[in-house]
Amino acid sequence: MGIIFHEQEKTFHLYNKEVSYIIRVMENGQLENLYYGKVIRDRESFMHLHEAISRPLTSVCVPEPGVLSMEYTKQEYPVYGTGDYRSPALSILQENGSRIVNFTYVSHEIYQGKKSLSPLPAVYTNNEHEVCTLEICLHDEVINTDLILSYTMFEEYPVITRNAKLVHKGEESIVLDRALSMSVEFQDMDFEMVHLSGAWARERYVKERKLEMGIQAVQGIHGTAGGAEHNPFLALKRPDTTESQGEVYGFSLVYSGNFLAQTEVSTFNMTRVLMGIHPEGFHWKLETGESFQTPEVVMVYSDRGLNKMSQVYHRLYRKNLMRGQWKEQPRPILLNNWEATYFDFTEEKILSIAKKAKEAGVELFVLDDGWFGARNDDYRGLGDWYVNLEKLPDGIAGLSRKVEEMGLKFGLWVELEMVNKDSDLYRAHPDWIVGVPERFESHGRHQHVLDFSRKEVVDYIYEMISKILRESRISYIKWDMNRYMSEPYSRGLAAKDQGKMMHRYILGVYDLYTRLTEEFPEILFESCASGGARFDPAMLFFAPQTWTSDDTDASERAKIQYGTSYVYPLVSMGSHVSAVPNHQLLRITPLSTRANMAYFGTFGYELDLNLLSEEEMAQVKEQVAFMKKYRRLIQVEGDFYRLLSPFKGNETAWIVVSPDKNQAVAAFYQRLNKINASWLRFRLEGLDKDTLYEVKCNDTVYRAYGDELMYAGIPVDRELLNKEGGDFASLLYVIEKAEP
Ligand code: DGJ
């Protein structure tokens, strides 16, 4: 790994054993990208990769006889108004009404390690020798502003992280109308854009589309979340790239607010990728001495398909993004009461569910929505973070003590960013909600968004919730967020600062997370937003797991978990076994399939185990025991390979393999059963071809070498599938190294 600077041609070569990234300072002082892709050897000059030609209709940006034009140049950080008519990364409004800027190279610094972007979350290093960073300082003389572009290269991963920072020194103020985190350009357009899109209960479906000339983008502009609609991620893959082979470039934004992830293909067939805070509604004024830090983008290059890209994200996010005591730790098996009781519970009922959970071997009981204020339905109570003594006469302190005395840990649900109008908090502070005075304020799920761009609001919520955490025995918090922001306006900000509101809101959320995680480091936080509407890398920095979806149907989960795994590690995916008929789809799936799906995540239950038969309860005990045995492999150590896609057919399959390749757990799921059907086989990946393995599936056991399992595959036994229930049946394979 290294970053080499070639003085003569002012060229930077960032490289490790897998990837090269080459930048040069052009004759106009701006930066050009010469190459991004599979590692190439270093050379004194890469000038042959620069192409310039005189074309009709172009604006030339160097004196005659030069021909350089920004229109067809692969720029590192394009700005508005230069003769480049594609979308820029930066646009700055100045006091004279101009938006023209010219940032030119001044200096650079190369160092080991990586700086924190606090208060923004970002990937960090465990040891400064695992990365090196290049910071390039560019300057615009007229407005007297520095632009610092940072690139961090990892030794072990084909990863480059990027961010941009503006430091304003001029006398006159400037306004950032657009300040994205990065731009990357490719010489051609022979790509498919891959993104993760959907809606509530069908989050992060895999979508692929061929790039065409013009703009294609995904975005989130609801302020409080990347959203169920589009994840802050996109990848560019070659048309023949599959899960296991071919080139792909991944871009993942470490941010939870409004975002833009855009590709633009020029009429010269060049592709530009832009990513960062969405410019819509963004208007950030900088006075002398002030600066603006953009969030980080994590770029992954893989020449071995989408699985390799995902494995890199998984490892990096497990080891260099998640923090605290739960980093790289197997997760407690929990039981959550939401689908068991919804709002309708008493202490007695809760304790009876917890008792049965303990009997099954569950380790953590989680009390979901409905324990506070007048919260007997979703019309009231949000904001009143004190216990409802009618339901829980001994308070959370008493209940948590009783649950702990049973031998379980206790967890609690909160939704700190929201308020119902029917609450003491709203009655006391009606001006604390987001919205424009004298205009209609939209509601969602009967609730309003608290204005976390104001420090006094965050302080107040912190005081209320930290009191409960101090007084009770709480080991886990589920931090929910159940509506998007509308009418974004802060009653606490001056008119000139309204364009800062949505970013400041997210900084307020990060501030509260920071205070709570620092004061209560032992608590495991799980983020949630109407299911999986805020599943982003920034959340994982604070809460190392996220509720993946409100859709708990095991068969639907195949798609949701498959798509989520493109970027997010299994240990971050909240996954529960729920009751049948399923509450979202009314579908009946076998108990074995519900567990076989939930194993590939944090694993837990979301039903009243008292309602199960003795036989089912015995099965649950076996499931809990299985997960205790294999969770370290599945959640913490293993590499995950997607094998069959639920987006392409009736079957889904995947496998987790230990780093030493001695152990693996694979799963095969079908949707509908088939009669008199053809043979069915699926090929494993990640095993050692020369190792002899023992493969166990239910009561059948056989031996096979890695090469057989990977190249010939596993024949799926349809009779076993029938025994497991036919429709929506699944099979789990435990594969361990055997003595020859
Ligand atoms: C939405 C979450 O996704 C659910 O799991 C549950 O916690 C409800 N909110 C509670 O209101």
Side-chain angles (χ1 to χ4, degrees):
M1 168 193 62
I3 298 175
I4 297 171
F5 179 56
H6 295 290
E7 186 82 47
Q8 205 177 350
E9 287 183 351
K10 288 205 167 46
T11 305
F12 301 92
H13 184 182
L14 297 80
Y15 69 94
N16 64 17
K17 52 187 183 306
E18 293 182 83
V19 61
S20 279
Y21 193 94
I22 304 171
I23 309 166
R24 92 171 170 115
V25 180
M26 293 183 283
E27 39 276 46
N28 68 352
Q30 295 176 17
L31 298 182
E32 176 183 28
N33 182 280
L34 288 176
Y35 176 73
Y36 175 31
K38 192 175 172 90
V39 63
I40 55 179
R41 77 195 58 228
D42 191 51
R43 301 271 306 269
E44 265 314 303
S45 170
F46 287 104
M47 269 311 283
H48 52 284
L49 295 175
H50 169 77
E51 291 170 86
I53 187 173
S54 174
R55 298 177 193 267
L57 276 176
T58 48
S59 304
V60 176
C61 64
V62 288
E64 310 266 14
V67 290
L68 186 70
S69 170
M70 291 302 101
E71 184 179 3
Y72 52 73
T73 300
K74 293 192 292 164
Q75 297 169 67
E76 271 305 301
Y77 198 73
V79 297
Y80 170 79
T82 57
D84 167 19
Y85 304 106
R86 295 165 288 171
S87 297
L90 181 68
S91 175
I92 301 182
L93 176 62
Q94 296 145 56
E95 285 192 6
N96 68 357
S98 155
R99 282 190 166 81
I100 305 308
V101 290
N102 179 21
F103 284 96
T104 55
Y105 172 82
V106 177
S107 62
H108 71 267
E109 201 189 335
I110 295 171
Y111 56 89
Q112 297 257 284
K114 180 177 190 290
K115 289 181 189 163
S116 147
L117 300 187
S118 173
L120 285 171
V123 164
Y124 61 87
T125 58
N126 295 300
N127 131 26
E128 68 168 32
H129 299 289
E130 66 180 337
V131 300
C132 52
T133 297
L134 165 66
E135 281 184 17
I136 306 179
C137 181
L138 305 140
H139 185 71
D140 181 292
E141 267 177 37
V142 176
I143 54 174
N144 193 9
T145 304
D146 286 345
L147 165 65
I148 299 154
L149 301 182
S150 299
Y151 305 78
T152 296
M153 184 92 206
F154 279 74
E155 166 127 52
E156 288 302 320
Y157 309 113
V159 167
I160 299 172
T161 63
R162 289 190 54 181
N163 71 81
K165 182 177 181 178
L166 287 131
V167 181
H168 184 52
K169 301 168 178 165
E171 301 274 286
E172 295 189 356
S173 63
I174 57 171
V175 176
L176 310 180
D177 274 339
R178 167 187 279 256
L180 301 182
S181 299
M182 60 121 230
S183 170
V184 167
E185 301 209 26
F186 299 92
Q187 200 67 42
D188 67 292
M189 59 175 281
D190 193 22
F191 289 111
E192 285 169 357
M193 171 175 158
V194 182
H195 53 104
L196 304 173
S197 299
W200 176 80
R202 51 178 173 85
E203 298 91 342
R204 290 172 297 286
Y205 279 17
V206 177
K207 302 286 170 191
E208 297 176 0
R209 45 177 146 148
K210 191 173 158 11
L211 287 192
E212 297 291 353
M213 280 177 197
I215 290 175
Q216 302 185 60
V218 288
Q219 63 180 34
I221 54 167
H222 13 55
T224 54
E229 290 72 24
H230 302 292
N231 200 256
F233 162 79
L234 74 79
L236 292 185
K237 73 174 193 63
R238 297 294 178 189
D240 57 358
T241 295
T242 64
E243 290 286 10
S244 54
Q245 60 89 28
E247 268 196 315
V248 55
Y249 297 83
F251 302 90
S252 164
L253 182 67
V254 188
Y255 189 58
S256 317
N258 289 349
F259 80 93
L260 175 68
Q262 176 174 301
T263 60
E264 181 169 4
V265 178
S266 76
T267 48
F268 298 113
N269 294 354
M270 293 159 65
T271 303
R272 173 177 291 174
V273 180
L274 292 174
M275 197 173 228
I277 295 179
H278 202 294
E280 190 69 51
F282 176 82
H283 195 73
W284 198 278
K285 190 166 191 178
L286 288 180
E287 307 285 358
T288 311
E290 290 182 340
S291 58
F292 184 78
Q293 173 65 59
T294 68
E296 176 167 87
V297 173
V298 179
M299 310 196 303
V300 170
Y301 169 75
S302 158
D303 62 348
R304 274 179 283 149
L306 288 154
N307 272 327
K308 167 80 189 290
M309 174 196 76
S310 302
Q311 286 161 6
V312 172
Y313 277 123
H314 293 183
R315 279 184 187 226
L316 188 77
Y317 288 175
R318 282 188 324 215
K319 290 174 190 288
N320 297 71
L321 184 64
M322 294 177 179
R323 301 173 305 159
Q325 294 179 6
W326 288 97
K327 173 179 167 175
E328 296 192 80
Q329 287 307 317
R331 299 301 152 80
I333 297 173
L334 65 77
L335 186 137
N336 177 304
N337 75 308
W338 179 242
E339 288 196 13
T341 66
Y342 297 102
F343 294 107
D344 185 17
F345 59 81
T346 58
E347 188 189 78
E348 194 188 350
K349 172 116 192 167
I350 290 299
L351 289 174
S352 84
I353 296 175
K355 188 161 173 258
K356 197 72 178 173
K358 173 67 190 165
E359 196 188 314
V362 165
E363 298 158 316
L364 165 70
F365 175 82
V366 179
L367 181 61
D368 210 279
D369 197 354
W371 59 266
F372 50 91
R375 186 79 169 167
N376 292 320
D377 52 39
D378 56 13
Y379 286 86
R380 65 208 90 241
L382 279 180
D384 295 342
W385 299 110
Y386 43 81
V387 70
N388 179 332
L389 290 171
E390 275 173 35
K391 281 184 180 172
L392 305 172
D394 286 339
I396 291 296
L399 178 64
S400 60
R401 182 178 38 78
K402 289 177 202 174
V403 169
E404 282 214 342
E405 280 166 6
M406 284 181 185
L408 287 162
K409 295 286 183 195
F410 182 80
L412 196 62
W413 178 98
V414 292
E415 187 172 2
L416 302 173
E417 299 156 65
M418 300 285 157
V419 67
N420 289 116
K421 284 200 169 172
D422 187 355
S423 68
D424 294 342
L425 176 63
Y426 181 78
R427 284 183 280 272
H429 298 285
D431 62 325
W432 277 9
I433 63 171
V434 169
V436 193
E438 294 167 32
R439 287 195 185 274
F440 181 72
E441 289 141 350
S442 307
H443 46 89
R445 205 193 185 199
H446 326 292
Q447 64 196 51
H448 293 264
V449 181
L450 280 173
D451 184 357
F452 266 40
S453 75
R454 295 167 68 173
K455 186 169 178 306
E456 67 271 30
V457 178
V458 177
D459 288 348
Y460 179 88
I461 296 293
Y462 164 73
E463 289 305 332
M464 281 194 107
I465 195 64
S466 57
K467 183 168 179 291
I468 293 179
L469 297 185
R470 272 180 227 123
E471 285 169 355
S472 313
R473 303 184 189 181
I474 293 176
S475 305
Y476 161 106
I477 286 285
K478 177 177 175 186
W479 179 321
D480 205 347
M481 191 286 294
N482 285 298
R483 71 156 294 198
Y484 297 146
M485 197 187 288
S486 58
E487 296 85 34
Y489 185 88
S490 169
R491 289 164 165 96
L493 290 176
K496 71 175 176 48
D497 289 327
Q498 289 299 333
K500 296 183 174 177
M501 190 255 160
M502 288 171 113
H503 181 56
R504 282 182 57 141
Y505 177 94
I506 285 299
L507 294 180
V509 173
Y510 295 158
D511 176 32
L512 186 56
Y513 257 119
T514 302
R515 291 194 227 177
L516 293 176
T517 47
E518 281 177 3
E519 187 174 344
F520 305 100
E522 68 290 352
I523 293 183
L524 170 60
F525 281 81
E526 174 161 328
S527 72
C528 172
S530 285
R534 190 149 71 182
F535 210 132
D536 66 62
M539 278 293 119
L540 296 183
F541 186 74
F542 301 104
Q545 58 190 57
T546 302
W547 182 225
T548 312
S549 178
D550 273 347
D551 193 340
T552 59
D553 175 80
S555 187
E556 293 303 307
R557 275 285 183 132
K559 286 190 197 146
I560 298 168
Q561 294 181 201
Y562 191 97
T564 304
S565 78
Y566 267 48
V567 186
Y568 304 99
L570 301 188
V571 71
S572 68
M573 284 188 221
S575 52
H576 300 169
V577 173
S578 61
V580 288
N582 174 263
H583 291 198
Q584 293 79 41
L585 283 145
L586 312 179
R587 181 178 288 150
I588 295 182
T589 53
L591 183 52
S592 56
T593 294
R594 283 175 272 154
N596 288 347
M597 186 55 65
Y599 291 146
F600 294 86
T602 58
F603 194 72
Y605 290 84
E606 191 163 332
L607 75 175
D608 184 350
L609 294 174
N610 290 302
L611 305 178
L612 298 191
S613 66
E614 260 180 45
E615 200 184 309
E616 286 172 324
M617 191 60 189
Q619 218 179 323
V620 166
K621 286 181 187 167
E622 278 173 24
Q623 294 169 350
V624 170
F626 172 86
M627 193 55 183
K628 285 181 181 167
K629 185 164 178 201
Y630 290 100
R631 63 184 157 182
R632 178 162 282 282
L633 165 70
I634 294 173
Q635 298 175 342
V636 181
E637 289 169 355
D639 283 316
F640 182 67
Y641 296 79
R642 293 174 297 266
L643 305 173
L644 295 176
S645 167
F647 298 101
K648 297 200 170 132
N650 195 47
E651 292 86 24
T652 302
W654 48 50
I655 185 170
V656 180
V657 184
S658 66
D660 63 9
K661 300 181 184 295
N662 286 344
Q663 201 182 35
V665 177
F668 172 92
Y669 313 83
Q670 73 173 2
R671 283 180 76 80
L672 297 185
N673 207 5
K674 289 182 178 163
I675 188 80
N676 193 17
S678 51
W679 306 117
L680 194 56
R681 247 178 215 215
F682 69 109
R683 293 200 271 185
L684 303 186
E685 284 193 39
L687 300 173
D688 175 48
K689 68 178 174 45
D690 298 320
T691 297
L692 179 67
Y693 294 97
E694 188 173 76
V695 182
K696 282 192 203 142
C697 178
N698 294 0
D699 298 330
T700 64
V701 183
Y702 69 96
R703 289 176 155 224
Y705 281 93
D707 52 4
E708 298 167 64
L709 295 168
M710 293 194 292
Y711 313 146
I714 292 192
V716 177
D717 184 337
R718 286 198 183 269
E719 278 185 20
L720 274 187
L721 279 178
N722 285 343
K723 276 195 204 147
E724 290 298 326
D727 284 353
F728 312 113
S730 62
L731 296 172
L732 196 71
Y733 300 85
V734 176
I735 300 153
E736 320 240 15
K737 182 178 177 177
E739 289 312 319

